[in-house]
Short mmCIF file of all heavy atoms in Angstrom, two decimals:
data_model
loop_
_atom_site.label_atom_id
_atom_site.label_comp_id
_atom_site.label_asym_id
_atom_site.label_seq_id
_atom_site.Cartn_x
_atom_site.Cartn_y
_atom_site.Cartn_z
N HIS A 1516 59.22 108.11 97.72
CA HIS A 1516 60.60 108.58 97.53
C HIS A 1516 61.18 107.88 96.32
O HIS A 1516 60.81 106.78 95.98
CB HIS A 1516 61.44 108.26 98.77
CG HIS A 1516 60.92 108.79 100.05
ND1 HIS A 1516 61.05 110.13 100.42
CD2 HIS A 1516 60.14 108.21 101.06
CE1 HIS A 1516 60.49 110.35 101.59
NE2 HIS A 1516 59.91 109.21 101.98
N TYR A 1517 62.17 108.61 95.71
CA TYR A 1517 62.73 108.15 94.42
C TYR A 1517 64.25 108.02 94.54
O TYR A 1517 64.96 109.02 94.67
CB TYR A 1517 62.39 109.09 93.27
CG TYR A 1517 60.84 109.23 93.13
CD1 TYR A 1517 60.20 110.30 93.78
CD2 TYR A 1517 60.11 108.36 92.38
CE1 TYR A 1517 58.80 110.45 93.66
CE2 TYR A 1517 58.73 108.48 92.25
CZ TYR A 1517 58.09 109.53 92.90
OH TYR A 1517 56.74 109.67 92.78
N LEU A 1518 64.74 106.78 94.51
CA LEU A 1518 66.17 106.52 94.62
C LEU A 1518 66.82 106.55 93.20
O LEU A 1518 66.11 106.40 92.21
CB LEU A 1518 66.44 105.14 95.20
CG LEU A 1518 65.91 104.93 96.64
CD1 LEU A 1518 65.90 103.43 96.92
CD2 LEU A 1518 66.82 105.66 97.63
N ASN A 1519 68.11 106.76 93.18
CA ASN A 1519 68.84 106.68 91.92
C ASN A 1519 68.80 105.25 91.39
O ASN A 1519 69.10 104.29 92.15
CB ASN A 1519 70.29 107.11 92.14
CG ASN A 1519 71.13 106.93 90.89
OD1 ASN A 1519 70.70 107.32 89.80
ND2 ASN A 1519 72.30 106.36 91.03
N ARG A 1520 68.39 105.08 90.17
CA ARG A 1520 68.26 103.68 89.59
C ARG A 1520 69.66 103.33 89.01
O ARG A 1520 70.05 103.77 87.94
CB ARG A 1520 67.18 103.67 88.54
CG ARG A 1520 65.79 103.89 89.12
CD ARG A 1520 64.70 103.74 88.07
NE ARG A 1520 64.66 104.90 87.21
CZ ARG A 1520 63.78 105.06 86.21
NH1 ARG A 1520 62.79 104.16 86.02
NH2 ARG A 1520 63.85 106.13 85.47
N ASN A 1521 70.37 102.48 89.71
CA ASN A 1521 71.71 102.11 89.35
C ASN A 1521 71.86 100.67 88.84
O ASN A 1521 72.96 100.17 88.64
CB ASN A 1521 72.69 102.31 90.51
CG ASN A 1521 72.29 101.52 91.74
OD1 ASN A 1521 71.18 100.96 91.80
ND2 ASN A 1521 73.18 101.48 92.70
N SER A 1522 70.71 99.97 88.64
CA SER A 1522 70.73 98.64 88.10
C SER A 1522 69.52 98.46 87.19
O SER A 1522 68.42 98.19 87.64
CB SER A 1522 70.66 97.57 89.24
OG SER A 1522 70.61 96.28 88.71
N ALA A 1523 69.73 98.70 85.88
CA ALA A 1523 68.60 98.73 84.93
C ALA A 1523 67.60 99.76 85.41
O ALA A 1523 67.95 100.91 85.59
CB ALA A 1523 67.99 97.34 84.79
N ASN A 1524 66.36 99.32 85.66
CA ASN A 1524 65.33 100.26 86.10
C ASN A 1524 65.16 100.29 87.63
O ASN A 1524 64.21 100.89 88.13
CB ASN A 1524 63.99 99.92 85.45
CG ASN A 1524 63.97 100.18 83.95
OD1 ASN A 1524 64.53 101.20 83.50
ND2 ASN A 1524 63.36 99.30 83.19
N ASN A 1525 66.07 99.65 88.31
CA ASN A 1525 65.93 99.52 89.76
C ASN A 1525 67.08 100.15 90.50
O ASN A 1525 68.15 100.42 89.93
CB ASN A 1525 65.82 98.02 90.09
CG ASN A 1525 64.75 97.29 89.34
OD1 ASN A 1525 63.61 97.74 89.23
ND2 ASN A 1525 65.12 96.15 88.75
N ALA A 1526 66.85 100.35 91.82
CA ALA A 1526 67.94 100.74 92.70
C ALA A 1526 68.42 99.52 93.46
O ALA A 1526 67.59 98.65 93.79
CB ALA A 1526 67.47 101.82 93.67
N ILE A 1527 69.73 99.43 93.76
CA ILE A 1527 70.22 98.24 94.42
C ILE A 1527 71.42 98.57 95.33
O ILE A 1527 72.24 99.43 95.00
CB ILE A 1527 70.64 97.20 93.31
CG1 ILE A 1527 70.96 95.85 94.00
CG2 ILE A 1527 71.76 97.70 92.49
CD1 ILE A 1527 71.21 94.74 92.99
N HIS A 1528 71.48 97.89 96.45
CA HIS A 1528 72.70 97.83 97.30
C HIS A 1528 73.07 99.05 98.07
O HIS A 1528 74.14 99.09 98.67
CB HIS A 1528 73.88 97.34 96.47
CG HIS A 1528 73.81 95.89 96.02
ND1 HIS A 1528 72.86 95.04 96.53
CD2 HIS A 1528 74.53 95.20 95.10
CE1 HIS A 1528 73.01 93.88 95.93
NE2 HIS A 1528 74.01 93.94 95.10
N GLY A 1529 72.23 100.07 98.11
CA GLY A 1529 72.47 101.20 99.02
C GLY A 1529 73.51 102.19 98.48
O GLY A 1529 73.79 102.24 97.28
N PHE A 1530 74.08 102.93 99.44
CA PHE A 1530 74.98 104.04 99.06
C PHE A 1530 76.47 103.84 99.31
O PHE A 1530 77.32 104.42 98.61
CB PHE A 1530 74.51 105.32 99.83
CG PHE A 1530 73.06 105.64 99.60
CD1 PHE A 1530 72.19 105.79 100.70
CD2 PHE A 1530 72.58 105.83 98.34
CE1 PHE A 1530 70.87 106.10 100.53
CE2 PHE A 1530 71.21 106.16 98.13
CZ PHE A 1530 70.36 106.26 99.23
N LEU A 1531 76.80 103.03 100.25
CA LEU A 1531 78.25 102.86 100.60
C LEU A 1531 78.97 102.14 99.50
O LEU A 1531 80.21 102.27 99.37
CB LEU A 1531 78.39 102.10 101.92
CG LEU A 1531 77.93 102.80 103.20
CD1 LEU A 1531 78.16 101.98 104.40
CD2 LEU A 1531 78.58 104.19 103.33
N ILE A 1532 78.29 101.31 98.73
CA ILE A 1532 78.95 100.53 97.69
C ILE A 1532 79.59 101.44 96.64
O ILE A 1532 80.48 101.05 95.89
CB ILE A 1532 77.94 99.55 97.01
CG1 ILE A 1532 78.70 98.51 96.17
CG2 ILE A 1532 76.92 100.32 96.18
CD1 ILE A 1532 77.80 97.40 95.65
N GLY A 1533 79.15 102.72 96.59
CA GLY A 1533 79.69 103.65 95.65
C GLY A 1533 81.07 104.23 96.05
O GLY A 1533 81.70 104.97 95.30
N GLY A 1534 81.56 103.81 97.20
CA GLY A 1534 82.90 104.19 97.62
C GLY A 1534 83.00 105.32 98.62
O GLY A 1534 84.05 105.91 98.81
N GLN A 1535 81.86 105.67 99.27
CA GLN A 1535 81.90 106.73 100.26
C GLN A 1535 82.85 106.39 101.35
O GLN A 1535 82.83 105.28 101.94
CB GLN A 1535 80.50 106.99 100.82
CG GLN A 1535 79.53 107.68 99.91
CD GLN A 1535 78.95 106.78 98.84
OE1 GLN A 1535 79.37 105.63 98.74
NE2 GLN A 1535 78.04 107.27 98.05
N PRO A 1536 83.73 107.29 101.74
CA PRO A 1536 84.67 107.03 102.85
C PRO A 1536 83.96 107.01 104.19
O PRO A 1536 83.02 107.76 104.42
CB PRO A 1536 85.67 108.16 102.78
CG PRO A 1536 84.93 109.26 102.10
CD PRO A 1536 83.98 108.62 101.15
N MET A 1537 84.38 106.10 105.03
CA MET A 1537 83.86 106.03 106.42
C MET A 1537 84.94 106.53 107.40
O MET A 1537 86.11 106.31 107.18
CB MET A 1537 83.44 104.61 106.75
CG MET A 1537 82.31 104.05 105.84
SD MET A 1537 81.79 102.42 106.33
CE MET A 1537 80.87 102.77 107.86
N GLU A 1538 84.48 107.14 108.47
CA GLU A 1538 85.41 107.60 109.50
C GLU A 1538 85.82 106.45 110.37
O GLU A 1538 85.06 105.52 110.68
CB GLU A 1538 84.77 108.70 110.33
CG GLU A 1538 84.44 109.98 109.61
CD GLU A 1538 83.98 111.08 110.56
OE1 GLU A 1538 83.99 110.85 111.84
OE2 GLU A 1538 83.55 112.14 110.11
N VAL A 1539 87.08 106.49 110.81
CA VAL A 1539 87.58 105.48 111.78
C VAL A 1539 87.21 105.97 113.19
O VAL A 1539 87.83 106.94 113.67
CB VAL A 1539 89.08 105.27 111.64
CG1 VAL A 1539 89.59 104.29 112.67
CG2 VAL A 1539 89.43 104.78 110.24
N ALA A 1540 86.22 105.35 113.80
CA ALA A 1540 85.73 105.78 115.05
C ALA A 1540 86.51 105.25 116.26
O ALA A 1540 86.67 105.87 117.26
CB ALA A 1540 84.24 105.43 115.20
N GLN A 1541 87.00 104.02 116.12
CA GLN A 1541 87.70 103.37 117.24
C GLN A 1541 88.58 102.23 116.72
O GLN A 1541 88.25 101.51 115.77
CB GLN A 1541 86.70 102.85 118.24
CG GLN A 1541 87.33 102.27 119.50
CD GLN A 1541 86.31 101.87 120.54
OE1 GLN A 1541 85.10 102.06 120.36
NE2 GLN A 1541 86.74 101.32 121.64
N ILE A 1542 89.73 102.09 117.36
CA ILE A 1542 90.64 101.00 117.11
C ILE A 1542 91.08 100.37 118.42
O ILE A 1542 91.36 101.10 119.42
CB ILE A 1542 91.91 101.48 116.34
CG1 ILE A 1542 91.54 101.99 114.93
CG2 ILE A 1542 92.96 100.37 116.22
CD1 ILE A 1542 92.70 102.60 114.18
N SER A 1543 91.12 99.06 118.48
CA SER A 1543 91.59 98.40 119.70
C SER A 1543 92.34 97.15 119.33
O SER A 1543 92.01 96.49 118.32
CB SER A 1543 90.46 98.06 120.65
OG SER A 1543 89.58 97.16 120.07
N SER A 1544 93.34 96.78 120.09
CA SER A 1544 94.10 95.53 119.88
C SER A 1544 94.81 95.18 121.14
O SER A 1544 95.30 96.00 121.91
CB SER A 1544 95.08 95.72 118.71
OG SER A 1544 96.07 96.68 119.04
N ASP A 1545 94.88 93.85 121.38
CA ASP A 1545 95.62 93.28 122.51
C ASP A 1545 95.94 91.80 122.18
O ASP A 1545 95.86 91.43 121.00
CB ASP A 1545 94.86 93.45 123.83
CG ASP A 1545 93.47 92.84 123.78
OD1 ASP A 1545 93.24 91.90 123.02
OD2 ASP A 1545 92.60 93.31 124.57
N ASP A 1546 96.21 91.01 123.19
CA ASP A 1546 96.51 89.59 122.92
C ASP A 1546 95.29 88.77 122.61
O ASP A 1546 95.44 87.60 122.26
CB ASP A 1546 97.21 88.98 124.14
CG ASP A 1546 98.64 89.50 124.25
OD1 ASP A 1546 99.23 89.86 123.21
OD2 ASP A 1546 99.20 89.51 125.37
N SER A 1547 94.09 89.32 122.70
CA SER A 1547 92.86 88.57 122.40
C SER A 1547 92.16 88.94 121.11
O SER A 1547 91.45 88.12 120.55
CB SER A 1547 91.86 88.72 123.55
OG SER A 1547 91.41 90.11 123.63
N HIS A 1548 92.41 90.16 120.59
CA HIS A 1548 91.72 90.55 119.40
C HIS A 1548 92.31 91.84 118.78
O HIS A 1548 93.08 92.52 119.43
CB HIS A 1548 90.23 90.87 119.74
CG HIS A 1548 90.07 92.20 120.41
ND1 HIS A 1548 90.41 92.47 121.71
CD2 HIS A 1548 89.59 93.37 119.94
CE1 HIS A 1548 90.16 93.68 122.02
NE2 HIS A 1548 89.66 94.32 120.95
N ALA A 1549 91.91 92.08 117.57
CA ALA A 1549 92.15 93.38 116.86
C ALA A 1549 90.82 93.83 116.27
O ALA A 1549 90.12 93.02 115.68
CB ALA A 1549 93.23 93.19 115.76
N ALA A 1550 90.49 95.11 116.48
CA ALA A 1550 89.18 95.55 116.03
C ALA A 1550 89.26 96.99 115.54
O ALA A 1550 90.05 97.80 115.99
CB ALA A 1550 88.16 95.48 117.17
N VAL A 1551 88.42 97.29 114.54
CA VAL A 1551 88.23 98.64 114.06
C VAL A 1551 86.77 98.91 113.86
O VAL A 1551 86.03 98.08 113.33
CB VAL A 1551 89.02 98.87 112.70
CG1 VAL A 1551 88.57 97.90 111.63
CG2 VAL A 1551 88.86 100.29 112.26
N THR A 1552 86.32 100.10 114.32
CA THR A 1552 84.95 100.51 114.15
C THR A 1552 84.91 101.69 113.22
O THR A 1552 85.60 102.70 113.41
CB THR A 1552 84.29 100.88 115.50
OG1 THR A 1552 84.27 99.76 116.37
CG2 THR A 1552 82.86 101.45 115.31
N LEU A 1553 84.15 101.58 112.13
CA LEU A 1553 83.95 102.61 111.16
C LEU A 1553 82.57 103.23 111.32
O LEU A 1553 81.64 102.57 111.73
CB LEU A 1553 84.11 102.05 109.73
CG LEU A 1553 85.38 101.25 109.48
CD1 LEU A 1553 85.36 100.72 108.04
CD2 LEU A 1553 86.59 102.12 109.70
N SER A 1554 82.43 104.50 111.01
CA SER A 1554 81.16 105.18 111.16
C SER A 1554 80.80 106.03 109.93
O SER A 1554 81.70 106.52 109.21
CB SER A 1554 81.14 106.07 112.43
OG SER A 1554 82.06 107.17 112.29
N TYR A 1555 79.48 106.20 109.74
CA TYR A 1555 78.99 106.97 108.63
C TYR A 1555 77.57 107.49 108.99
O TYR A 1555 76.81 106.70 109.61
CB TYR A 1555 78.90 106.15 107.36
CG TYR A 1555 78.57 106.94 106.09
CD1 TYR A 1555 79.51 107.56 105.31
CD2 TYR A 1555 77.21 107.05 105.68
CE1 TYR A 1555 79.18 108.26 104.20
CE2 TYR A 1555 76.89 107.76 104.54
CZ TYR A 1555 77.87 108.33 103.80
OH TYR A 1555 77.52 109.05 102.65
N THR A 1556 77.28 108.69 108.63
CA THR A 1556 75.93 109.25 108.91
C THR A 1556 75.22 109.44 107.62
O THR A 1556 75.66 110.29 106.76
CB THR A 1556 76.02 110.54 109.71
OG1 THR A 1556 76.68 110.25 110.97
CG2 THR A 1556 74.60 111.09 109.99
N PHE A 1557 74.10 108.76 107.41
CA PHE A 1557 73.30 108.95 106.23
C PHE A 1557 72.41 110.20 106.44
O PHE A 1557 71.91 110.47 107.53
CB PHE A 1557 72.42 107.72 105.96
CG PHE A 1557 73.17 106.49 105.62
CD1 PHE A 1557 73.49 105.59 106.59
CD2 PHE A 1557 73.61 106.29 104.32
CE1 PHE A 1557 74.22 104.44 106.28
CE2 PHE A 1557 74.28 105.11 103.98
CZ PHE A 1557 74.60 104.20 104.98
N GLY A 1558 72.16 110.86 105.32
CA GLY A 1558 71.32 112.07 105.38
C GLY A 1558 71.54 112.93 104.14
O GLY A 1558 72.67 113.39 103.89
N GLY A 1559 70.52 113.09 103.34
CA GLY A 1559 70.66 113.90 102.14
C GLY A 1559 70.94 113.16 100.87
O GLY A 1559 70.95 113.75 99.78
N GLU A 1560 71.11 111.84 100.92
CA GLU A 1560 71.28 111.07 99.70
C GLU A 1560 69.97 111.08 98.89
O GLU A 1560 68.86 111.20 99.45
CB GLU A 1560 71.61 109.62 100.02
CG GLU A 1560 72.99 109.43 100.57
CD GLU A 1560 73.12 109.65 102.07
OE1 GLU A 1560 72.07 109.92 102.68
OE2 GLU A 1560 74.20 109.49 102.60
N GLU A 1561 70.09 110.99 97.61
CA GLU A 1561 68.93 111.05 96.72
C GLU A 1561 67.92 109.93 97.05
O GLU A 1561 68.24 108.75 97.10
CB GLU A 1561 69.38 110.83 95.25
CG GLU A 1561 68.23 110.93 94.25
CD GLU A 1561 68.70 110.79 92.82
OE1 GLU A 1561 69.93 110.79 92.57
OE2 GLU A 1561 67.84 110.61 91.92
N GLY A 1562 66.74 110.36 97.39
CA GLY A 1562 65.64 109.43 97.70
C GLY A 1562 65.67 108.87 99.12
O GLY A 1562 64.90 108.03 99.46
N TYR A 1563 66.53 109.40 99.96
CA TYR A 1563 66.68 108.92 101.33
C TYR A 1563 66.80 110.11 102.31
O TYR A 1563 67.89 110.39 102.79
CB TYR A 1563 67.86 107.97 101.47
CG TYR A 1563 67.88 107.20 102.75
CD1 TYR A 1563 67.01 106.11 102.99
CD2 TYR A 1563 68.75 107.54 103.81
CE1 TYR A 1563 67.00 105.39 104.17
CE2 TYR A 1563 68.74 106.83 105.01
CZ TYR A 1563 67.89 105.76 105.17
OH TYR A 1563 67.92 105.05 106.35
N PRO A 1564 65.72 110.83 102.56
CA PRO A 1564 65.78 112.03 103.42
C PRO A 1564 65.70 111.66 104.90
O PRO A 1564 64.87 112.20 105.68
CB PRO A 1564 64.51 112.78 102.99
CG PRO A 1564 63.55 111.71 102.64
CD PRO A 1564 64.34 110.58 102.02
#
Side-chain angles (χ1 to χ4, degrees):
H1516 303 281
Y1517 302 94
L1518 298 164
N1519 176 47
R1520 293 184 288 183
N1521 59 348
S1522 176
N1524 291 321
N1525 307 312
I1527 189 173
H1528 291 347
F1530 304 124
L1531 293 181
I1532 194 172
Q1535 286 77 354
M1537 299 183 72
E1538 293 187 7
V1539 178
Q1541 186 175 357
I1542 294 174
S1543 64
S1544 62
D1545 55 27
D1546 286 335
S1547 66
H1548 78 285
V1551 59
T1552 297
L1553 308 177
S1554 66
Y1555 186 88
T1556 300
F1557 294 95
E1560 288 86 0
E1561 182 178 350
Y1563 192 76

